[in-house]
Amino acid sequence: MLKKTYPYYLANQPQQPNADLVVLDKYSGKVATRVAVPDAKATEKAIAAAVKATAPMRAFKPWARQAVLQHCAQRFAERRDELAEALCIEAGKPIKDAAGEVTRLIETFRIAAEEAVRINGETLNLELASRLDGYHGYTKRVPLGPVSFITPFNFPLNLVAHKVAPAIAAGCPFVLKPAEKTPIGALIIGEVLAETDLPKGAFSILTLDGEHAAPLVEDERFKLLSFTGGQVGWELKARAGRKKVVLELGGNAACIIDADQGPHLDRVVERLVFGAFYQSGQSCIGVQRIYAHTDVYDALKKKLVAATKKLKAGDPKNKDVFLGPMIDEAAAERLHDWIHEAKKAGGKVLCGGKRSGNMLEATLMEDVPVDAKANRQEAFGPFALLAPFKKFDQAIALVNDSDYGLQAGIFTDSLDHAMRAWNELEQGGVIVNDIPSFRVDNMPYGGIKLSGLGREGVRYAIEDMTELRLMVMRER
């Protein structure tokens, strides 16, 4: 069970001036817990504390940063069940998926611990002409300074981890704003961080709403803003001033099923069902568009519909449940409306399509018009569409006919098609023989077009949070 109340964290310390933020159990709709909310003065104190912690964090040695991250990974493992239960309640995530996200939280901190002690520079050969004899160049990476983070509701542990763990490894003090609907995971992370000997002011976790989070975007004292969320990210970038900005803004991920996949359809269907419907489809790289060659289309459709109909929906605390609630009724209603719009425009519902509150059935459609919202925009729910193609060029064009470009998948036995997908798909990442939903926490992750800019992944985030410093030395 969750605690009755949770504090926010200001300069490494818990603060409980009120209990104004109500967090709901997303399945029952009942109040699960209450969280303290900071005021404008607290926000200013957090930023000032991060600025003051810049020098101590820079002086905090790599082995000490590693020790902090290792402590966190150990404590998260010890509190695994508590973290999974909190995630299940506050996000409505099925308990199996919640347990999986806790595992990724632990892995992300362990990866960051390894990277903390190998942030290296290089030696440069500057003796390129006789006039440069005796000159040598050296580079190192140094912490950028105070950074700010804004995270969404769908991965309340792991998306926080992908910002917080690299910041500690890099030596950057940070201020984090978790999603209002799912703040508990971040606050438990804060509780564990408070056990460490991080310098005072190294972290603050503020449960702000969007309006009051403006200083995290606009304050010039921050050297980087990392935001994961919706298309509002572009507006935040425009307001961010001179600081670095990293954005991960979602997608409508596609997956190609090549003509040679007939013998492998059971495996393909298993992965597609998972990619489209795990955690109710609320993933930036959830499978939304499925393009299958005409040679396998009918067989794939039959198997996919049958597998989807078998999914058990209900209380996410039940270990047998695969499909839990969406984050709230408004989100479910939005996607439900998109399904009806697509149906009126000629789309055919193959299964699902019904809604009760924030529970939306796992839904498959075909013949969805290319200009329908369910095709063009990010569904972010338990929905996927199917469409056939005859030639591989057509499949490439279908995937690229999108305003997004985060990740795509392709199932194929053809090396040529795999390489062409890698070369020609307008995506941040191409996953061969698996779904676009695949992600390991040390790989570069991010997109193009409306999907954002920059890359997450521990080492790549560390690079963003450090800057290159050059020294040139001349022999006497």
Side-chain angles (χ1 to χ4, degrees), residues 162 166 439-445 455-462:
H162 268 283
R439 181 180 181 186
V440 179
D441 298 299
N442 67 333
M443 74 188 212
Y445 173 78
R455 292 294 181 269
E456 293 183 347
V458 174
R459 178 164 65 86
Y460 306 92
I462 289 172

Side-chain angles (χ1 to χ4, degrees), residues 315-357:
D315 188 341
K317 302 176 193 67
N318 185 332
K319 292 183 179 180
D320 295 327
V321 164
F322 182 86
L323 195 73
M326 293 183 67
I327 193 65
D328 55 32
E329 187 168 354
E333 184 177 15
R334 169 194 55 79
L335 183 52
H336 190 236
D337 288 345
W338 288 9
I339 292 168
H340 276 282
E341 288 176 11
K343 186 177 179 181
K344 287 181 180 179
K348 179 182 178 182
V349 176
L350 300 174
C351 62
K354 297 178 181 178
R355 179 180 72 86
S356 176

Side-chain angles (χ1 to χ4, degrees), residues 72-85 87 93-112 155-159 161-162 189 439-442:
C72 290
Q74 178 181 338
R75 293 289 287 128
F76 297 150
E78 292 169 357
R79 300 177 68 171
R80 182 187 295 270
D81 292 343
E82 176 192 356
L83 284 160
E85 183 183 22
L87 185 54
K93 186 169 297 196
I95 192 64
K96 287 184 179 180
D97 291 338
E101 186 171 340
V102 176
T103 296
R104 289 186 62 193
L105 165 70
I106 296 165
E107 289 175 350
T108 301
F109 271 77
R110 285 176 175 165
I111 294 166
F155 284 91
L157 294 177
N158 201 46
L159 291 180
H162 268 283
I189 291 173
R439 181 180 181 186
V440 179
D441 298 299
N442 67 333

